[in-house]
Each structure stands twice: as C-alpha cells, then as structure tokens.
Amino acid sequence: MKKPPQDLSQLLHQSGKLPDLAEKAELLLYLDQHVKQMLAGPVAEQLKVANLRQGVLVIETTTSAWAARINFQKTKLLTQLQTETLPMLTAIEVKVNPGLALYTPKSKVPQHQLSAVAAEHLEALAEHVEGSLGEKLKRLAALASRNRQS
C-alpha cells in the first residue's frame, strides 16, 4: 500500500536536506531585500543576492558597469552587513550574470491612462476644434474621465 502524500510544511520541518535548503532560501531572500535597501536607487534593481557560502556573500548583477558600481561600495556594504546582520561574513563577491536581466521584474507603470489634467486639456481643445478631429478628442477626453472614475 502506498503512503499518502505529505504536507509540504511537514517536509520542511523534518530532518534532512529539505529543511536546510528552505532555511537557506529564506536567508538569501532576506539578505537580498536587506542589500537592496542598503544600496537604494537604480543599482538595487540590477542586483540579486545569489549565494552565501563559507562566509562569502555572492551578489549577481546584469552588467560589468553595475558590478563596478557595486564593487566601489563593497567595503561599506561588508562593514554594514557584518554589524547589522552577519558577523561571520568575510567577503563580498560580485559576479556578472547577463541572464539576470531577463528575470528582473519591470516596474508596472500604467502607460495607457491619461491624467486628469490631460483630460481637461483635451476637453478644452475639443471645444475649439471642429470636424472629426474634434469628435475624436471629445471621445478621448470622455474615455479618460470614465477611467478615472472606475
């Protein structure tokens, strides 16, 4: 007779390799967020904490230019991480991984929405323009007004 499937949370809390992997994954996620807060700005969007092995924190970035920028801040980052989070940290290694650019989440900026000011300008312009262009401007302003209300 086969064993029934176990709950994933039970597997994570048993002894063996899986709980160690889960713990390391949580640590890397925490370190990734922490490092990105320390290196705020555009550089934070271009890096990922990839590994922590034998006291060395491995940070991956998309290009060599970003790697150089991180390397300039490496001693400050190392000191700050040692005092705040990881006293056993001995070094930081920065590696270039161009494939990382494929997986970085892009900021979601609504590109197909008009602001309230733009809608008002379109309405004002539509009042002074005749013909099909005036009608189209009126419809566009009405569409922008409808999108703001919903």
Side-chain angles (χ1 to χ4, degrees):
M1 189 170 216
K2 291 184 178 180
K3 289 184 182 179
Q6 291 184 349
D7 187 35
L8 185 60
S9 61
Q10 287 179 336
L11 290 173
L12 290 176
H13 298 296
Q14 291 177 351
S15 63
K17 290 190 176 197
L18 195 56
D20 295 339
L21 286 174
E23 186 177 322
K24 186 165 184 177
E26 289 175 8
L27 175 64
L28 291 177
L29 182 63
Y30 169 76
L31 288 173
D32 186 60
Q33 293 169 350
H34 195 62
V35 168
K36 286 180 179 181
Q37 285 176 351
M38 286 189 228
L39 299 174
V43 71
E45 298 170 9
Q46 302 296 323
L47 67 87
K48 176 186 171 204
V49 172
N51 202 357
L52 176 65
R53 62 173 179 254
Q54 300 172 350
V56 178
L57 184 68
V58 180
I59 297 176
E60 290 183 344
T61 187
T62 54
T63 65
S64 59
W66 288 115
R69 197 161 174 187
I70 295 168
N71 278 323
F72 284 131
Q73 300 177 13
K74 193 162 52 170
T75 50
K76 177 186 169 198
L77 184 63
L78 177 63
T79 307
Q80 198 170 356
L81 282 170
Q82 285 173 333
T83 57
E84 293 178 9
T85 311
L86 293 170
M88 48 71 106
L89 191 63
T90 58
I92 295 177
E93 183 180 336
V94 181
K95 292 187 174 189
V96 177
N97 180 1
L100 189 62
L102 300 174
Y103 302 106
T104 53
K106 306 291 182 210
S107 59
K108 295 181 182 179
V109 178
Q111 298 177 357
H112 302 291
Q113 292 185 356
L114 292 174
S115 66
V117 174
E120 289 173 13
H121 286 285
L122 284 173
E123 288 174 14
L125 183 62
E127 291 176 11
H128 299 322
V129 176
E130 296 179 7
S132 66
L133 180 60
E135 291 174 21
K136 290 176 183 177
L137 288 172
K138 287 177 185 175
R139 279 187 274 156
L140 186 58
L143 180 65
S145 298
R146 230 179 304 141
N147 285 343
R148 278 184 304 202
Q149 292 172 355
S150 57

